[in-house]
Amino acid sequence: TINMTELHMMSNINVVLRTTTGSNAVKLEDNGNSCVVTLTHFYKDGKVYMGNGPLETTGTLNDGTNGVFDLSATGTEADGTDYTKTKPFTFAVVPQALKPEGTGDIYVGITIKTPDDNQYYIVKKLADIIATANGGSQNQTTNGKVDFWYPNHNYTYTFTLTKAGISKVTCTVEKWVDVTA
């Protein structure tokens, strides 16, 4: 009998958009059209070294054109009595620093476009977001900032959108559930 524990080599990124139900609410869905969430300045390719486990990014930084999440017909749902939220936009990415080495002032970021095409929310530095929970991960920094996406970690970013802009950003980090077979 050989027991093996296998871990995900990718990082799982979830983006949840929510808005108030009041007068400053943003449309998250409109006549079948939905929000578009785009990751910017990230590496989409990498190599895994199976002998000792490290992963290295390869290729060039993505400008966001190949990292688009489209909210499908899954729609929105209530989030308490004061908010409405989307189901998560999910994307598996190569583990990487959110401030890539040798790129100057370029950070992994995110752009959110609402379905009415006139609301844009841009977060240029995901590395500045502080985690509200880290699921016991020893990999997150002591200052609470998520500055690296580690393998076998599930990151959920929740953006609260209002007509005045993004009012609150949170991130939770959870390890993926181990399954033994």
Side-chain angles (χ1 to χ4, degrees):
T1 299
I2 299 174
N3 295 319
M4 298 175 65
T5 300
E6 295 182 354
L7 305 174
H8 295 277
M9 288 309 299
M10 301 293 276
S11 301
N12 196 48
I13 311 301
N14 296 299
V15 176
V16 176
L17 305 178
R18 70 181 213 158
T19 190
T20 64
T21 55
S23 61
N24 63 345
V26 171
K27 287 186 178 182
L28 300 176
E29 193 171 51
D30 187 28
N31 292 329
N33 295 320
S34 54
C35 293
V36 175
V37 177
T38 306
L39 278 179
T40 58
H41 307 298
F42 69 102
Y43 289 102
K44 68 181 196 93
D45 298 313
K47 290 181 185 177
V48 176
Y49 295 96
M50 298 303 285
N52 54 2
L55 189 143
E56 97 180 19
T57 55
T58 60
T60 57
L61 276 179
N62 185 302
D63 64 1
T65 56
N66 293 322
V68 177
F69 306 111
D70 288 318
L71 178 63
S72 63
T74 55
T76 59
E77 61 190 13
D79 184 15
T81 56
D82 297 330
Y83 295 95
T84 301
K85 69 178 181 178
T86 63
K87 303 255 170 113
F89 298 92
T90 302
F91 193 54
V93 298
V94 173
Q96 59 193 280
L98 300 187
K99 166 64 175 100
E101 275 187 48
T103 58
D105 288 337
I106 295 176
Y107 289 77
V108 175
I110 196 165
T111 302
I112 302 163
K113 184 177 82 171
T114 56
D116 52 13
D117 284 334
N118 64 9
Q119 298 277 346
Y120 290 88
Y121 301 88
I122 300 169
V123 178
K124 292 183 180 179
K125 294 181 181 180
L126 285 179
D128 285 346
I129 297 174
I130 296 175
T132 56
N134 71 1
S137 172
Q138 72 280 8
N139 293 320
Q140 299 308 312
T141 60
T142 56
N143 65 7
K145 291 184 178 181
V146 178
D147 55 8
F148 197 99
W149 288 331
Y150 288 93
N152 198 46
H153 283 64
N154 187 42
Y155 298 87
T156 300
Y157 292 90
T158 302
F159 294 90
T160 302
L161 307 179
T162 64
K163 288 183 179 174
I166 296 173
S167 61
K168 183 178 180 184
V169 177
T170 62
C171 178
T172 56
V173 183
E174 296 289 338
K175 287 186 175 184
W176 283 353
V177 176
D178 293 328
V179 177
T180 305

